[in-house]
């Protein structure tokens, strides 16, 4: 029998770092999703009417996001933080720090901006990490981050579950459990952020076959790192059956297979007295009916 993992530990972070280190030299060949997210976060930051001179890129990978945001919203300096030194070595950031996202080295109220692209969904203590980020931000400082959402790779998850149930009579966790929009909004509020907003975008990528998708995930250093995963090697028959089921269920008319990535984008502010506050219920000075130009009618008792 396999021992049950601690509830607070979902991911084997040591294994994750080892895999990302192994593929660090080829990271730019498989960063299409990171590029898309970095472009989106840069567009969002470009419309922020604040001056945010000191930024930290948390879980920076090879510094792609840092390149995009420098100069936007008055950003003058960017600190890249990542637990994998081999990835940071490829970053062009002004300052680079080897540290884990779960143990941030920033002092209280030292940052104007915290950004993160496709890293925070793999920390074990996301509430704790968000609290650390909020504390590191100066009042009215901004958090702008993207994480993978709950429908990410649902096709691959379903194919593996069906194949294992058929071949081995059981199932092992193989695709990470990611949060949904409501979960992330609640976590931002719990961490003490003000004005939290979370939105979702679905990105669908197609591959020639399921094995090509699995190879890409491996090259991203993102293959199964769940603590509860089955530790025995995957058999050839199980792998091929999972691929067959994937094709049977999801193949398109041209034979290619889709892979879904849900991107959740988080925007939130460190609290500050200058920020707008919700009005007390019943304190409105104008009637909604007047603003809409319609007659006002009371609801039946």
């Amino acid at each position: 029998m396999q021992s049950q993992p601690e509830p607070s530990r979902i991911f084997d972070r040591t294994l994750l770092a080892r895999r990302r280190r192994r593929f660090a030299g080829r990271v730019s060949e498989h960063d299409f999703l990171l590029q898309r997210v970095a472009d989106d976060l840069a567009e969002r930051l470009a419309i922020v009417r604040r001056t945010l001179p000191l930024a930290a890129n948390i879980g920076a990978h090879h510094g792609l996001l840092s390149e995009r945001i420098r100069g936007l919203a008055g950003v003058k300096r960017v600190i890249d933080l990542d637990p994998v030194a081999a990835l940071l070595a490829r970053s062009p950031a002004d300052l680079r720090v080897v540290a884990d996202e779960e143990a941030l080295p920033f002092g209280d109220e030292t940052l104007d901006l915290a950004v993160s692209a496709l890293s925070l969904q793999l920390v074990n203590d996301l509430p704790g990490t968000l609290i650390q980020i909020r504390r590191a931000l100066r009042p009215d400082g901004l958090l702008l981050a993207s994480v993978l959402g709950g429908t990410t790779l649902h096709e691959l998850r379903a194919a593996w579950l069906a194949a294992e149930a058929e071949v081995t009579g059981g199932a092992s966790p193989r695709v990470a459990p990611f949060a949904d929009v409501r979960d992330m909004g609640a976590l931002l509020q719990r961490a003490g952020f003000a004005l939290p907003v979370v939105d979702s975008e679905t990105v669908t990528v197609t591959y020639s076959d399921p094995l090509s998708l699995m190879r890409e995930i491996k090259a991203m250093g993102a293959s199964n790192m769940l603590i509860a995963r089955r530790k025995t090697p995957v058999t050839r028959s199980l792998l091929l059956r999972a691929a067959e089921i994937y094709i049977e269920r999801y193949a398109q008319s041209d034979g290619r297979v889709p892979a879904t990535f849900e991107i959740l984008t988080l925007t939130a502010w460190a609290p500050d007295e200058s920020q707008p506050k919700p009005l007390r219920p019943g304190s409105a000075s104008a009637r909604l009916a007047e603003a809409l130009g319609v007659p006002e009618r009371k609801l039946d008792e």
Side-chain angles (χ1 to χ4, degrees), residues 83-107:
V84 181
L87 284 174
L88 279 181
R90 304 174 66 85
S91 167
D94 310 307
L95 300 169
R96 291 171 287 181
V97 179
V98 178
D100 195 281
E101 295 96 330
E102 295 183 333
L104 300 180
F106 308 116

Side-chain angles (χ1 to χ4, degrees), residues 30 32 153 156 205-220 239 243 246-247 255-257 259 261:
H30 303 279
F32 71 93
L153 297 177
L156 186 61
V205 184
T206 63
Y207 291 84
S208 58
D209 55 74
L211 296 180
S212 296
L213 166 62
M214 295 179 204
R215 282 192 290 268
E216 177 119 90
I217 293 172
K218 183 176 181 180
M220 291 177 176
L239 175 64
Y246 201 120
I247 293 171
R256 296 181 66 84
V257 296
F261 296 91

Side-chain angles (χ1 to χ4, degrees), residues 30-280:
H30 303 279
D31 62 358
F32 71 93
L33 199 60
L34 185 60
Q35 288 195 42
R36 183 187 182 101
V37 166
D39 288 341
D40 178 66
L41 293 179
E43 288 179 11
R44 293 170 187 255
L45 184 59
I47 63 175
V48 172
R49 297 190 176 182
R50 295 282 197 285
T51 300
L52 306 167
L54 180 59
N57 184 5
I58 298 169
H61 302 280
H62 53 304
L64 193 60
L65 177 56
S66 300
E67 289 185 273
R68 301 288 200 276
I69 66 171
R70 186 178 285 104
L72 301 177
V75 173
K76 294 180 180 179
R77 289 193 300 164
V78 182
I79 303 169
D80 270 10
L81 179 148
D82 198 276
V84 181
L87 284 174
L88 279 181
R90 304 174 66 85
S91 167
D94 310 307
L95 300 169
R96 291 171 287 181
V97 179
V98 178
D100 195 281
E101 295 96 330
E102 295 183 333
L104 300 180
F106 308 116
D108 290 354
E109 299 185 8
T110 54
L111 302 174
D112 302 293
L113 170 67
V115 296
S116 184
L118 303 183
S119 288
L120 296 182
Q121 75 275 353
L122 295 176
V123 301
N124 285 308
D125 183 13
L126 183 53
T129 297
L130 291 174
I131 289 171
Q132 291 182 65
I133 294 172
R134 194 260 302 159
R135 289 175 176 169
L137 287 170
R138 295 188 176 100
D140 211 28
L142 173 62
L143 166 64
L144 190 58
S146 289
V147 299
L148 293 177
T151 63
T152 296
L153 297 177
H154 68 87
E155 304 95 341
L156 186 61
R157 181 186 293 110
W160 272 110
L161 286 174
E164 287 195 298
E166 180 181 315
V167 175
T168 69
S172 170
R174 293 193 179 276
V175 179
F178 300 129
D180 63 18
V181 171
R182 288 178 296 180
D183 293 333
M184 291 307 308
L187 286 175
L188 289 171
Q189 289 183 319
R190 175 180 167 187
F193 281 98
L195 310 174
V197 176
V198 182
D199 59 78
S200 172
E201 177 190 12
T202 298
V203 177
T204 302
V205 184
T206 63
Y207 291 84
S208 58
D209 55 74
L211 296 180
S212 296
L213 166 62
M214 295 179 204
R215 282 192 290 268
E216 177 119 90
I217 293 172
K218 183 176 181 180
M220 291 177 176
S223 50
N224 192 357
M225 79 293 294
L226 295 171
I227 293 287
R229 72 192 184 279
R230 184 174 292 158
K231 305 302 192 294
T232 55
V234 174
T235 64
R236 177 178 174 81
S237 60
L238 177 58
L239 175 64
L240 293 180
R241 184 56 186 142
E244 289 174 355
I245 292 173
Y246 201 120
I247 293 171
E248 291 168 4
R249 293 187 179 184
Y250 304 108
Q252 299 176 338
S253 58
D254 59 0
R256 296 181 66 84
V257 296
T260 297
F261 296 91
E262 183 185 13
I263 309 298
L264 304 183
T265 303
L266 289 55
T267 306
W269 299 83
D272 184 70
E273 288 299 320
S274 66
Q275 293 165 349
K277 305 293 190 299
L279 294 174
R280 178 175 54 84

